[in-house]
Amino acid sequence: MKVAVNLDLCVGHARCQDRCPEVYGTDEHWGKCKVLIPVVPPQLREGARLGARNCPEGAITVEEDAP
Ligand code: F3S
């Protein structure tokens, strides 16, 4: 599973980071989302999905593994 952030949409709410700080951080310079682990291991996937769902801007996309 992969996650990515669209920095044109992100405005720095940091709700992604609140929900899953292992996967989402904040860029110190821009104050926007920084994906820390773009290829998400199984134990962090639920958190990563939760973080993506909680972004009010819909800035995070989740690409699930092919079945
Ligand atoms: Fe940005 Fe959304 Fe996170 S606006 S900082 S991706 S909650």
Short mmCIF file of all heavy atoms in Angstrom, two decimals:
data_model
loop_
_atom_site.label_atom_id
_atom_site.label_comp_id
_atom_site.label_asym_id
_atom_site.label_seq_id
_atom_site.Cartn_x
_atom_site.Cartn_y
_atom_site.Cartn_z
N MET A 1 0.84 -1.18 0.00
CA MET A 1 0.00 0.00 0.00
C MET A 1 0.89 1.24 0.00
O MET A 1 1.90 1.29 0.68
CB MET A 1 -0.85 -0.02 1.27
CG MET A 1 -1.83 1.11 1.37
SD MET A 1 -2.65 1.03 2.99
CE MET A 1 -2.37 2.69 3.52
N LYS A 2 0.46 2.22 -0.80
CA LYS A 2 1.23 3.46 -0.88
C LYS A 2 0.35 4.65 -0.54
O LYS A 2 -0.85 4.65 -0.85
CB LYS A 2 1.78 3.65 -2.29
CG LYS A 2 2.80 2.61 -2.69
CD LYS A 2 3.26 2.87 -4.10
CE LYS A 2 4.10 1.71 -4.59
NZ LYS A 2 4.28 1.74 -6.04
N VAL A 3 0.95 5.66 0.05
CA VAL A 3 0.22 6.90 0.30
C VAL A 3 1.03 8.06 -0.29
O VAL A 3 2.26 8.01 -0.36
CB VAL A 3 -0.04 7.16 1.80
CG1 VAL A 3 -0.98 6.12 2.37
CG2 VAL A 3 1.24 7.22 2.60
N ALA A 4 0.31 9.09 -0.70
CA ALA A 4 0.95 10.27 -1.27
C ALA A 4 0.11 11.49 -0.91
O ALA A 4 -1.10 11.39 -0.72
CB ALA A 4 1.07 10.14 -2.79
N VAL A 5 0.75 12.62 -0.80
CA VAL A 5 0.03 13.86 -0.50
C VAL A 5 0.14 14.81 -1.69
O VAL A 5 1.20 14.94 -2.30
CB VAL A 5 0.55 14.52 0.80
CG1 VAL A 5 2.02 14.88 0.70
CG2 VAL A 5 -0.29 15.75 1.16
N ASN A 6 -0.98 15.43 -2.00
CA ASN A 6 -1.00 16.48 -3.02
C ASN A 6 -0.78 17.82 -2.31
O ASN A 6 -1.66 18.31 -1.61
CB ASN A 6 -2.35 16.46 -3.74
CG ASN A 6 -2.42 17.51 -4.84
OD1 ASN A 6 -1.72 18.52 -4.80
ND2 ASN A 6 -3.27 17.27 -5.81
N LEU A 7 0.41 18.36 -2.48
CA LEU A 7 0.75 19.58 -1.75
C LEU A 7 0.02 20.82 -2.27
O LEU A 7 0.02 21.85 -1.61
CB LEU A 7 2.27 19.79 -1.78
CG LEU A 7 3.05 18.73 -0.99
CD1 LEU A 7 4.55 18.92 -1.16
CD2 LEU A 7 2.68 18.77 0.49
N ASP A 8 -0.60 20.70 -3.41
CA ASP A 8 -1.44 21.82 -3.89
C ASP A 8 -2.74 21.88 -3.09
O ASP A 8 -3.37 22.93 -3.00
CB ASP A 8 -1.76 21.65 -5.37
CG ASP A 8 -0.53 21.88 -6.24
OD1 ASP A 8 0.37 22.62 -5.80
OD2 ASP A 8 -0.47 21.30 -7.33
N LEU A 9 -3.15 20.74 -2.53
CA LEU A 9 -4.39 20.69 -1.74
C LEU A 9 -4.14 20.83 -0.24
O LEU A 9 -4.96 21.38 0.49
CB LEU A 9 -5.13 19.37 -2.00
CG LEU A 9 -5.64 19.15 -3.42
CD1 LEU A 9 -6.29 17.77 -3.53
CD2 LEU A 9 -6.63 20.23 -3.82
N CYS A 10 -3.02 20.32 0.23
CA CYS A 10 -2.71 20.35 1.67
C CYS A 10 -2.54 21.80 2.14
O CYS A 10 -1.84 22.59 1.53
CB CYS A 10 -1.43 19.58 1.94
SG CYS A 10 -0.89 19.69 3.67
N VAL A 11 -3.22 22.10 3.26
CA VAL A 11 -3.05 23.43 3.86
C VAL A 11 -2.50 23.33 5.29
O VAL A 11 -2.46 24.30 6.01
CB VAL A 11 -4.38 24.23 3.85
CG1 VAL A 11 -4.81 24.55 2.44
CG2 VAL A 11 -5.47 23.50 4.60
N GLY A 12 -2.12 22.11 5.69
CA GLY A 12 -1.44 21.95 6.97
C GLY A 12 -2.34 21.73 8.17
O GLY A 12 -1.97 22.07 9.28
N HIS A 13 -3.50 21.12 7.98
CA HIS A 13 -4.37 20.83 9.13
C HIS A 13 -3.71 19.88 10.14
O HIS A 13 -4.05 19.90 11.32
CB HIS A 13 -5.68 20.17 8.68
CG HIS A 13 -6.58 21.07 7.91
ND1 HIS A 13 -7.14 22.20 8.43
CD2 HIS A 13 -7.04 21.00 6.63
CE1 HIS A 13 -7.90 22.79 7.52
NE2 HIS A 13 -7.86 22.08 6.42
N ALA A 14 -2.84 19.02 9.64
CA ALA A 14 -2.10 18.05 10.46
C ALA A 14 -3.01 17.00 11.11
O ALA A 14 -2.60 16.33 12.06
CB ALA A 14 -1.24 18.73 11.52
N ARG A 15 -4.22 16.84 10.62
CA ARG A 15 -5.06 15.78 11.17
C ARG A 15 -4.52 14.41 10.78
O ARG A 15 -4.70 13.44 11.52
CB ARG A 15 -6.50 15.93 10.66
CG ARG A 15 -7.14 17.18 11.23
CD ARG A 15 -8.62 17.19 10.95
NE ARG A 15 -9.15 18.53 11.13
CZ ARG A 15 -10.39 18.88 10.82
NH1 ARG A 15 -11.22 17.99 10.32
NH2 ARG A 15 -10.79 20.12 11.01
N CYS A 16 -3.90 14.35 9.64
CA CYS A 16 -3.26 13.09 9.23
C CYS A 16 -2.21 12.68 10.25
O CYS A 16 -2.16 11.54 10.69
CB CYS A 16 -2.64 13.25 7.84
SG CYS A 16 -1.55 14.69 7.69
N GLN A 17 -1.41 13.64 10.64
CA GLN A 17 -0.34 13.37 11.62
C GLN A 17 -0.93 13.02 12.98
O GLN A 17 -0.41 12.15 13.69
CB GLN A 17 0.55 14.60 11.73
CG GLN A 17 1.73 14.42 12.64
CD GLN A 17 2.64 15.64 12.67
OE1 GLN A 17 2.42 16.60 11.94
NE2 GLN A 17 3.63 15.61 13.52
N ASP A 18 -2.02 13.69 13.37
CA ASP A 18 -2.67 13.36 14.64
C ASP A 18 -3.11 11.91 14.67
O ASP A 18 -3.00 11.24 15.68
CB ASP A 18 -3.90 14.25 14.86
CG ASP A 18 -3.53 15.68 15.17
OD1 ASP A 18 -2.35 15.94 15.50
OD2 ASP A 18 -4.42 16.55 15.09
N ARG A 19 -3.65 11.43 13.55
CA ARG A 19 -4.18 10.08 13.50
C ARG A 19 -3.08 9.04 13.34
O ARG A 19 -3.21 7.92 13.84
CB ARG A 19 -5.17 9.93 12.35
CG ARG A 19 -6.41 10.80 12.42
CD ARG A 19 -7.11 10.70 13.74
NE ARG A 19 -8.43 11.31 13.75
CZ ARG A 19 -8.67 12.62 13.78
NH1 ARG A 19 -7.68 13.49 13.78
NH2 ARG A 19 -9.91 13.10 13.82
N CYS A 20 -2.02 9.39 12.63
CA CYS A 20 -0.99 8.39 12.35
C CYS A 20 0.39 9.05 12.20
O CYS A 20 0.89 9.22 11.09
CB CYS A 20 -1.36 7.61 11.08
SG CYS A 20 -0.32 6.15 10.85
N PRO A 21 0.98 9.40 13.33
CA PRO A 21 2.28 10.10 13.28
C PRO A 21 3.43 9.23 12.77
O PRO A 21 4.48 9.77 12.44
CB PRO A 21 2.51 10.50 14.74
CG PRO A 21 1.65 9.61 15.55
CD PRO A 21 0.48 9.24 14.69
N GLU A 22 3.19 7.93 12.71
CA GLU A 22 4.25 7.08 12.16
C GLU A 22 4.41 7.30 10.65
O GLU A 22 5.50 7.17 10.11
CB GLU A 22 3.94 5.59 12.41
CG GLU A 22 3.87 5.21 13.88
CD GLU A 22 2.47 5.38 14.48
OE1 GLU A 22 1.61 6.01 13.84
OE2 GLU A 22 2.26 4.87 15.59
N VAL A 23 3.30 7.61 10.00
CA VAL A 23 3.31 7.72 8.54
C VAL A 23 3.33 9.18 8.07
O VAL A 23 3.94 9.50 7.05
CB VAL A 23 2.09 6.99 7.94
CG1 VAL A 23 1.97 7.21 6.43
CG2 VAL A 23 2.18 5.49 8.24
N TYR A 24 2.67 10.05 8.83
CA TYR A 24 2.54 11.45 8.40
C TYR A 24 3.23 12.40 9.38
O TYR A 24 3.00 12.33 10.59
CB TYR A 24 1.07 11.84 8.29
CG TYR A 24 0.25 10.94 7.41
CD1 TYR A 24 -0.70 10.09 7.96
CD2 TYR A 24 0.43 10.92 6.03
CE1 TYR A 24 -1.45 9.25 7.16
CE2 TYR A 24 -0.30 10.09 5.23
CZ TYR A 24 -1.24 9.25 5.80
OH TYR A 24 -1.97 8.42 5.00
N GLY A 25 4.02 13.27 8.84
CA GLY A 25 4.66 14.31 9.63
C GLY A 25 4.36 15.67 9.03
O GLY A 25 3.48 15.80 8.17
N THR A 26 5.09 16.67 9.50
CA THR A 26 4.91 18.03 8.98
C THR A 26 6.24 18.56 8.49
O THR A 26 7.25 18.49 9.19
CB THR A 26 4.35 18.96 10.08
OG1 THR A 26 3.10 18.46 10.52
CG2 THR A 26 4.15 20.37 9.54
N ASP A 27 6.22 19.09 7.29
CA ASP A 27 7.43 19.70 6.74
C ASP A 27 7.74 20.98 7.52
O ASP A 27 6.88 21.85 7.67
CB ASP A 27 7.19 20.02 5.26
CG ASP A 27 8.40 20.68 4.65
OD1 ASP A 27 8.50 21.92 4.73
OD2 ASP A 27 9.24 19.96 4.12
N GLU A 28 8.95 21.06 8.04
CA GLU A 28 9.30 22.19 8.92
C GLU A 28 9.24 23.51 8.20
O GLU A 28 8.90 24.54 8.79
CB GLU A 28 10.72 21.99 9.47
CG GLU A 28 10.79 20.95 10.57
CD GLU A 28 12.21 20.74 11.06
OE1 GLU A 28 13.05 21.63 10.88
OE2 GLU A 28 12.46 19.66 11.61
N HIS A 29 9.59 23.52 6.95
CA HIS A 29 9.65 24.79 6.22
C HIS A 29 8.27 25.26 5.76
O HIS A 29 7.88 26.40 5.97
CB HIS A 29 10.59 24.64 5.02
CG HIS A 29 10.77 25.91 4.26
ND1 HIS A 29 11.43 27.00 4.80
CD2 HIS A 29 10.37 26.29 3.02
CE1 HIS A 29 11.43 27.99 3.91
NE2 HIS A 29 10.79 27.59 2.83
N TRP A 30 7.52 24.35 5.16
CA TRP A 30 6.24 24.73 4.55
C TRP A 30 5.05 24.55 5.49
O TRP A 30 3.98 25.10 5.23
CB TRP A 30 6.01 23.90 3.28
CG TRP A 30 7.06 24.12 2.24
CD1 TRP A 30 8.08 23.25 1.92
CD2 TRP A 30 7.25 25.27 1.42
NE1 TRP A 30 8.87 23.79 0.94
CE2 TRP A 30 8.39 25.03 0.61
CE3 TRP A 30 6.56 26.48 1.28
CZ2 TRP A 30 8.85 25.95 -0.31
CZ3 TRP A 30 7.03 27.40 0.34
CH2 TRP A 30 8.16 27.13 -0.44
N GLY A 31 5.22 23.76 6.54
CA GLY A 31 4.09 23.50 7.43
C GLY A 31 3.03 22.62 6.81
O GLY A 31 1.88 22.62 7.26
N LYS A 32 3.42 21.88 5.80
CA LYS A 32 2.47 20.99 5.14
C LYS A 32 2.85 19.54 5.43
O LYS A 32 3.91 19.26 5.99
CB LYS A 32 2.47 21.23 3.63
CG LYS A 32 1.92 22.61 3.26
CD LYS A 32 1.75 22.73 1.77
CE LYS A 32 1.13 24.07 1.41
NZ LYS A 32 0.75 24.13 -0.01
N CYS A 33 1.95 18.67 5.02
CA CYS A 33 2.16 17.25 5.27
C CYS A 33 3.43 16.73 4.60
O CYS A 33 3.73 17.09 3.46
CB CYS A 33 0.95 16.46 4.75
SG CYS A 33 1.13 14.69 4.89
N LYS A 34 4.12 15.89 5.33
CA LYS A 34 5.27 15.19 4.78
C LYS A 34 5.04 13.71 5.03
O LYS A 34 4.88 13.30 6.19
CB LYS A 34 6.52 15.68 5.50
CG LYS A 34 7.81 15.07 5.04
CD LYS A 34 8.95 15.92 5.56
CE LYS A 34 10.04 15.09 6.15
NZ LYS A 34 11.08 15.93 6.76
N VAL A 35 4.99 12.95 3.96
CA VAL A 35 4.80 11.51 4.13
C VAL A 35 6.13 10.90 4.55
O VAL A 35 7.13 11.03 3.86
CB VAL A 35 4.29 10.87 2.83
CG1 VAL A 35 4.21 9.36 2.98
CG2 VAL A 35 2.91 11.43 2.47
N LEU A 36 6.13 10.26 5.71
CA LEU A 36 7.36 9.71 6.26
C LEU A 36 7.63 8.30 5.73
O LEU A 36 8.77 7.90 5.60
CB LEU A 36 7.28 9.68 7.79
CG LEU A 36 6.94 11.02 8.46
CD1 LEU A 36 6.76 10.81 9.97
CD2 LEU A 36 8.01 12.07 8.19
N ILE A 37 6.55 7.57 5.48
CA ILE A 37 6.68 6.19 5.01
C ILE A 37 5.74 6.00 3.82
O ILE A 37 4.59 5.61 3.99
CB ILE A 37 6.33 5.17 6.13
CG1 ILE A 37 7.13 5.47 7.40
CG2 ILE A 37 6.61 3.75 5.66
CD1 ILE A 37 6.84 4.53 8.55
N PRO A 38 6.20 6.31 2.61
CA PRO A 38 5.32 6.24 1.43
C PRO A 38 4.82 4.82 1.13
O PRO A 38 3.71 4.66 0.64
CB PRO A 38 6.20 6.75 0.29
CG PRO A 38 7.35 7.45 0.94
CD PRO A 38 7.53 6.82 2.29
N VAL A 39 5.65 3.84 1.42
CA VAL A 39 5.21 2.44 1.24
C VAL A 39 4.89 1.91 2.63
O VAL A 39 5.79 1.67 3.44
CB VAL A 39 6.30 1.60 0.55
CG1 VAL A 39 5.83 0.16 0.38
CG2 VAL A 39 6.65 2.21 -0.81
N VAL A 40 3.60 1.78 2.89
CA VAL A 40 3.14 1.56 4.27
C VAL A 40 3.13 0.07 4.60
O VAL A 40 2.48 -0.72 3.90
CB VAL A 40 1.72 2.15 4.45
CG1 VAL A 40 1.26 2.00 5.88
CG2 VAL A 40 1.71 3.63 4.03
N PRO A 41 3.82 -0.32 5.68
CA PRO A 41 3.82 -1.72 6.07
C PRO A 41 2.47 -2.11 6.70
O PRO A 41 1.72 -1.24 7.16
CB PRO A 41 4.95 -1.81 7.11
CG PRO A 41 5.07 -0.43 7.65
CD PRO A 41 4.66 0.51 6.55
N PRO A 42 2.17 -3.40 6.71
CA PRO A 42 0.84 -3.87 7.14
C PRO A 42 0.38 -3.31 8.48
O PRO A 42 -0.78 -2.92 8.63
CB PRO A 42 1.01 -5.38 7.20
CG PRO A 42 2.07 -5.68 6.20
CD PRO A 42 3.02 -4.51 6.24
N GLN A 43 1.26 -3.23 9.45
CA GLN A 43 0.83 -2.83 10.79
C GLN A 43 0.45 -1.35 10.87
O GLN A 43 -0.15 -0.93 11.86
CB GLN A 43 1.90 -3.17 11.82
CG GLN A 43 3.19 -2.37 11.71
CD GLN A 43 4.21 -2.99 10.77
OE1 GLN A 43 3.86 -3.78 9.90
NE2 GLN A 43 5.47 -2.62 10.94
N LEU A 44 0.78 -0.57 9.87
CA LEU A 44 0.45 0.86 9.89
C LEU A 44 -0.65 1.23 8.90
O LEU A 44 -1.03 2.40 8.79
CB LEU A 44 1.71 1.69 9.59
CG LEU A 44 2.83 1.62 10.63
CD1 LEU A 44 4.04 2.42 10.17
CD2 LEU A 44 2.34 2.14 11.98
N ARG A 45 -1.18 0.25 8.22
CA ARG A 45 -2.12 0.57 7.14
C ARG A 45 -3.43 1.16 7.64
O ARG A 45 -3.95 2.10 7.04
CB ARG A 45 -2.36 -0.67 6.27
CG ARG A 45 -1.14 -0.97 5.45
CD ARG A 45 -1.28 -2.17 4.58
NE ARG A 45 0.01 -2.39 3.92
CZ ARG A 45 0.29 -3.41 3.14
NH1 ARG A 45 -0.62 -4.33 2.91
NH2 ARG A 45 1.48 -3.53 2.60
N GLU A 46 -3.97 0.59 8.71
CA GLU A 46 -5.23 1.14 9.21
C GLU A 46 -5.06 2.60 9.62
O GLU A 46 -5.90 3.46 9.33
CB GLU A 46 -5.75 0.31 10.39
CG GLU A 46 -6.81 -0.71 10.01
CD GLU A 46 -7.86 -0.16 9.04
OE1 GLU A 46 -8.55 0.80 9.40
OE2 GLU A 46 -7.96 -0.68 7.92
N GLY A 47 -3.96 2.89 10.31
CA GLY A 47 -3.68 4.26 10.72
C GLY A 47 -3.49 5.18 9.52
O GLY A 47 -3.96 6.32 9.51
N ALA A 48 -2.82 4.69 8.52
CA ALA A 48 -2.57 5.51 7.33
C ALA A 48 -3.88 5.82 6.61
O ALA A 48 -4.09 6.94 6.14
CB ALA A 48 -1.61 4.78 6.39
N ARG A 49 -4.77 4.82 6.54
CA ARG A 49 -6.09 5.06 5.92
C ARG A 49 -6.88 6.07 6.74
O ARG A 49 -7.53 6.97 6.18
CB ARG A 49 -6.88 3.76 5.84
CG ARG A 49 -6.34 2.77 4.85
CD ARG A 49 -7.29 1.58 4.74
NE ARG A 49 -6.66 0.49 3.99
CZ ARG A 49 -6.18 -0.61 4.55
NH1 ARG A 49 -6.26 -0.80 5.85
NH2 ARG A 49 -5.61 -1.55 3.80
N LEU A 50 -6.84 5.91 8.04
CA LEU A 50 -7.56 6.82 8.93
C LEU A 50 -7.06 8.26 8.75
O LEU A 50 -7.85 9.21 8.65
CB LEU A 50 -7.38 6.37 10.37
CG LEU A 50 -8.21 7.06 11.44
CD1 LEU A 50 -9.69 6.76 11.23
CD2 LEU A 50 -7.77 6.61 12.82
N GLY A 51 -5.76 8.41 8.69
CA GLY A 51 -5.18 9.74 8.48
C GLY A 51 -5.64 10.35 7.17
O GLY A 51 -5.98 11.53 7.11
N ALA A 52 -5.67 9.54 6.13
CA ALA A 52 -6.10 10.04 4.82
C ALA A 52 -7.57 10.45 4.86
O ALA A 52 -7.95 11.51 4.35
CB ALA A 52 -5.88 8.96 3.77
N ARG A 53 -8.41 9.62 5.50
CA ARG A 53 -9.85 9.92 5.56
C ARG A 53 -10.13 11.18 6.36
O ARG A 53 -11.13 11.86 6.13
CB ARG A 53 -10.60 8.76 6.22
CG ARG A 53 -10.87 7.60 5.31
CD ARG A 53 -12.01 6.75 5.84
NE ARG A 53 -11.80 6.22 7.17
CZ ARG A 53 -11.18 5.08 7.44
NH1 ARG A 53 -10.71 4.33 6.48
NH2 ARG A 53 -11.04 4.68 8.69
N ASN A 54 -9.27 11.48 7.29
CA ASN A 54 -9.51 12.63 8.16
C ASN A 54 -8.97 13.94 7.62
O ASN A 54 -9.09 14.98 8.28
CB ASN A 54 -8.94 12.36 9.56
CG ASN A 54 -9.92 11.57 10.40
OD1 ASN A 54 -10.77 12.13 11.07
ND2 ASN A 54 -9.85 10.25 10.34
N CYS A 55 -8.38 13.93 6.46
CA CYS A 55 -7.94 15.19 5.87
C CYS A 55 -9.13 15.90 5.24
O CYS A 55 -9.73 15.39 4.30
CB CYS A 55 -6.87 14.94 4.80
SG CYS A 55 -6.45 16.49 3.96
N PRO A 56 -9.49 17.09 5.73
CA PRO A 56 -10.65 17.80 5.19
C PRO A 56 -10.46 18.25 3.75
O PRO A 56 -11.44 18.52 3.06
CB PRO A 56 -10.78 19.03 6.10
CG PRO A 56 -9.92 18.76 7.29
CD PRO A 56 -8.87 17.80 6.85
N GLU A 57 -9.24 18.33 3.31
CA GLU A 57 -8.97 18.78 1.94
C GLU A 57 -8.88 17.62 0.95
O GLU A 57 -8.72 17.85 -0.25
CB GLU A 57 -7.65 19.57 1.90
CG GLU A 57 -7.49 20.63 2.98
CD GLU A 57 -8.60 21.69 2.92
OE1 GLU A 57 -9.08 21.98 1.82
OE2 GLU A 57 -8.99 22.20 4.00
N GLY A 58 -8.94 16.41 1.46
CA GLY A 58 -8.79 15.26 0.56
C GLY A 58 -7.44 15.24 -0.13
O GLY A 58 -7.33 14.82 -1.29
N ALA A 59 -6.41 15.66 0.60
CA ALA A 59 -5.10 15.83 -0.03
C ALA A 59 -4.29 14.54 -0.12
O ALA A 59 -3.30 14.48 -0.84
CB ALA A 59 -4.30 16.88 0.74
N ILE A 60 -4.72 13.52 0.63
CA ILE A 60 -3.94 12.28 0.68
C ILE A 60 -4.62 11.21 -0.15
O ILE A 60 -5.82 10.95 0.02
CB ILE A 60 -3.76 11.80 2.13
CG1 ILE A 60 -2.99 12.86 2.93
CG2 ILE A 60 -3.03 10.46 2.17
CD1 ILE A 60 -2.93 12.57 4.42
N THR A 61 -3.86 10.59 -1.00
CA THR A 61 -4.39 9.46 -1.76
C THR A 61 -3.75 8.17 -1.26
O THR A 61 -2.58 8.13 -0.91
CB THR A 61 -4.11 9.61 -3.27
OG1 THR A 61 -2.72 9.83 -3.46
CG2 THR A 61 -4.88 10.76 -3.86
N VAL A 62 -4.57 7.15 -1.22
CA VAL A 62 -4.14 5.83 -0.77
C VAL A 62 -4.26 4.88 -1.94
O VAL A 62 -5.31 4.78 -2.57
CB VAL A 62 -5.04 5.33 0.39
CG1 VAL A 62 -4.64 3.91 0.79
CG2 VAL A 62 -4.94 6.27 1.58
N GLU A 63 -3.18 4.23 -2.23
CA GLU A 63 -3.18 3.24 -3.31
C GLU A 63 -3.01 1.88 -2.67
O GLU A 63 -1.93 1.53 -2.17
CB GLU A 63 -2.03 3.54 -4.27
CG GLU A 63 -2.01 2.68 -5.50
CD GLU A 63 -0.75 2.96 -6.36
OE1 GLU A 63 -0.31 4.11 -6.38
OE2 GLU A 63 -0.23 2.01 -6.95
N GLU A 64 -4.11 1.13 -2.68
CA GLU A 64 -4.07 -0.21 -2.08
C GLU A 64 -3.30 -1.16 -2.99
O GLU A 64 -3.22 -0.96 -4.20
CB GLU A 64 -5.50 -0.74 -1.88
CG GLU A 64 -6.35 0.12 -0.94
CD GLU A 64 -5.99 -0.04 0.53
OE1 GLU A 64 -5.21 -0.96 0.87
OE2 GLU A 64 -6.49 0.77 1.35
N ASP A 65 -2.75 -2.21 -2.39
CA ASP A 65 -2.05 -3.22 -3.17
C ASP A 65 -3.05 -3.94 -4.07
O ASP A 65 -4.23 -4.08 -3.73
CB ASP A 65 -1.41 -4.25 -2.24
CG ASP A 65 -0.26 -3.64 -1.45
OD1 ASP A 65 0.23 -2.57 -1.85
OD2 ASP A 65 0.13 -4.24 -0.43
N ALA A 66 -2.60 -4.39 -5.19
CA ALA A 66 -3.45 -5.19 -6.07
C ALA A 66 -3.77 -6.50 -5.36
O ALA A 66 -2.90 -7.05 -4.67
CB ALA A 66 -2.72 -5.48 -7.37
N PRO A 67 -5.01 -6.99 -5.49
CA PRO A 67 -5.39 -8.23 -4.80
C PRO A 67 -4.63 -9.44 -5.36
O PRO A 67 -4.14 -9.41 -6.45
CB PRO A 67 -6.89 -8.35 -5.05
CG PRO A 67 -7.18 -7.47 -6.20
CD PRO A 67 -6.09 -6.43 -6.28
FE1 F3S B 1 -2.43 18.47 4.92
FE2 F3S B 1 -4.69 17.27 5.22
FE3 F3S B 1 -2.70 16.49 6.62
S1 F3S B 1 -4.42 19.44 4.88
S2 F3S B 1 -1.43 18.29 6.88
S3 F3S B 1 -2.83 16.37 4.41
S4 F3S B 1 -4.80 16.68 7.32
#
